[in-house]
Structures are given as C-alpha cells and as structure tokens.
Amino acid sequence: MLSEKLHQAINKQINAEFWSANLYLSMSAWFADKGLPGFSHWMKEQFKEEQEHAMRFFNYLVSRGAKVEIGAYAAVPVDWKDAKKVFEDTLHHEQVVTGMINDLYTLALEEKDYATQSMLKWFIDEQVEEEDTARGILDALCHIKDNSFGLYRLDKEMGERQG
Ligand code: FEO
C-alpha cells in the first residue's frame, strides 16, 4: 500500500505537471503573438507532453488505489523579453522539476516503496532529455543573437517537432 506521505507527494507532482503544461501553453501564446509559429508549435507540443506527465502520475495513483485531488493552479508568466529569455526560463524550470523528481525518488527510497521507485525511473531519464533539449535550443539562440534570418530558420525547424 502507498504511504500517505508518498500519496500526498505524488498528488502534488500531478498539480506541478499541470502547472508546467500551463507555463508552456503561455509561452506558445507569446511566440504566436510575436509571429514565430514554429516556436509556438514546439511549445504546444511541450504543453501536451506535460499533460501526459501529469496523467502518468494520475494513472499511477489510481492503480495503487489512491485518490487523486486536483487543486487550483497559480498564475503562469505571460511575457518575456525575447526568445532567449523564454528558453532560459524553460531550462531553469526543467532543472527545478528534476529536483522535484529526485525528491520523490528519495522519499520512495525512505518509504521502501519499490514500485514507486520503478515508476520514477522513467521520469528520471525523461528529465535528462528535457534539460538537454532546452539547453540545445538555448545554445542555438545564443549563436543566433540578433540575426533575424537565423531566428526565421530556427523557427522553421521548431515547427517540425512531432508529438
Ligand atoms: Fe514534466 Fe518537463 O517535466
């Protein structure tokens, strides 16, 4: 049986993943407004991915016979200085999420919950990928600097992201 501590912590993570989804949807809206449809598309895919993360945790709690409680979400930012700042925030946010997943794993170890440890391994690997992707795009934006043609080309590439 899932301990109450883990139950509450995973429930909190479900809500955090939905907050992440809202953050990326807000970034998608910002890019759309700035005339960068490729970046907007990429962020929309990221929004869907975060919803999938939330649902993985949701389904896990249900499968362990634990009730899910969806709470209210704090407002997300709506404006950024430029595309580079969006991806600095994205990378920073993913690093914070990595810390949350690590804390969950530490708790699962303390509670000797082997099933939760096993479930969390997928998320540990996923966070390596999430940080790497955000870092790669941030690097590209740093190289481009104020070159508008470079930004135009990168926007085209971002638009090719598959779900
Ligand atoms: Fe759900 Fe981007 O971590």
Side-chain angles (χ1 to χ4, degrees), residues 28 37-45 158-162:
S28 172
F39 278 94
S40 178
H41 165 80
W42 192 95
M43 282 297 178
K44 224 177 281 167
E45 291 300 317
M158 298 289 278
E160 286 164 15
R161 178 177 178 177
Q162 305 285 327

Side-chain angles (χ1 to χ4, degrees), residues 27 80-90 138 141:
M27 289 173 169
W80 289 268
K81 184 169 125 269
D82 52 24
K84 184 167 162 265
K85 180 71 177 109
V86 177
F87 274 88
E88 281 168 357
D89 286 4
T90 297
L138 182 57
L141 285 165

Side-chain angles (χ1 to χ4, degrees), residues 9-133:
I10 294 172
N11 200 76
K12 201 169 149 204
Q13 191 63 30
I14 292 172
N15 287 279
E17 297 289 346
F18 278 127
W19 189 87
S20 299
N22 285 347
L23 173 66
Y24 293 131
L25 188 60
S26 182
M27 289 173 169
S28 172
W30 186 86
F31 278 121
D33 187 57
K34 299 294 170 196
L36 291 164
F39 278 94
S40 178
H41 165 80
W42 192 95
M43 282 297 178
K44 224 177 281 167
E45 291 300 317
Q46 194 67 14
F47 156 72
K48 289 185 214 161
E49 203 172 284
E50 297 301 343
Q51 287 183 315
E52 284 167 20
H53 293 174
M55 291 313 295
R56 253 179 198 261
F57 282 119
F58 181 110
N59 293 334
Y60 180 72
L61 278 192
V62 171
S63 73
R64 295 290 306 269
K67 185 171 176 283
V68 174
E69 287 181 6
I70 302 298
Y73 305 124
V76 291
V78 294
D79 203 13
W80 289 268
K81 184 169 125 269
D82 52 24
K84 184 167 162 265
K85 180 71 177 109
V86 177
F87 274 88
E88 281 168 357
D89 286 4
T90 297
L91 177 57
H92 178 255
H93 179 64
E94 289 303 333
Q95 287 165 339
V96 169
V97 174
T98 299
M100 289 173 173
I101 299 292
N102 290 347
D103 287 348
L104 275 178
Y105 195 82
T106 302
L107 186 58
L109 286 172
E110 286 167 4
E111 301 285 306
K112 295 187 170 53
D113 189 319
Y114 304 110
T116 301
Q117 290 168 35
S118 175
M119 179 275 292
L120 285 170
K121 283 192 177 132
W122 185 89
F123 282 96
I124 292 167
D125 294 342
E126 175 72 2
Q127 282 312 119
V128 172
E129 198 185 303
E130 293 269 73
E131 284 190 33
D132 185 46
T133 305

